[in-house]
Each structure stands twice: as C-alpha cells, then as structure tokens.
Amino acid sequence: MTEKFDAAKEAELDKIAADDLRRIEQEVVAEAEASVDDFDAMKDEQKAADAAEAAFAFEAAQAATESIEAGAEDRLEK
C-alpha cells in the first residue's frame, strides 16, 4: 500500500512540475518571439537570430515536458 501511495504521490508531483514547466516555457517562447519582432524592427539581425534560437530551444523543451507529463499521467492511472 505504501509503495503504491508513494508512486502516486511522485506521479502527482511530476504532473505539477510539468505544468509549471509548461507555463514557464510558454512565457519564454512568447517573450523570445516578441524580441525577434523588436530586433527585426531595429534591424539588428544578430539579436533577432539569437532570440529566434532561444524560442526554438524552448519549443523543443516543451516536447520533453509533454513526455514527463504523459509518464506522470500514465502512472496516476495505474
């Protein structure tokens, strides 16, 4: 019983952490995309490219977060 409870508790904490990560990642992507637009308007191609790279990296991180969340949801269902 305790082992099953601990696994459920751990899965619930993983789900909460994944939710937090998703919100942070979405905020960073939105901010980076806005920066791309700003730097494009200022004709600063290097900073625009750097901001686009940051947005891409955080979009890729979102896939990892989704995987963590899916694993947590699977464990909660068991």
Side-chain angles (χ1 to χ4, degrees):
M1 174 80 175
T2 303
E3 187 176 311
K4 189 171 187 174
F5 173 77
D6 290 343
K9 182 72 171 170
E10 183 178 337
E12 184 62 31
L13 292 174
D14 285 351
K15 186 169 178 348
I16 292 168
D19 289 342
D20 289 343
L21 278 172
R22 185 182 317 99
R23 280 191 294 276
I24 291 167
E25 290 162 351
Q26 288 171 343
E27 289 174 14
V28 171
V29 168
E31 190 64 35
E33 288 173 345
S35 293
V36 169
D37 294 339
D38 292 343
F39 290 130
D40 277 343
M42 291 185 283
K43 308 269 192 254
D44 191 332
E45 292 178 14
Q46 182 59 50
K47 288 184 180 177
D50 291 343
E53 186 177 331
F56 179 78
F58 275 87
E59 286 173 346
Q62 287 175 331
T65 300
E66 289 174 9
S67 176
I68 291 168
E69 185 174 34
E73 288 174 356
D74 287 346
R75 287 190 314 246
L76 283 172
E77 291 175 1
K78 291 181 181 180

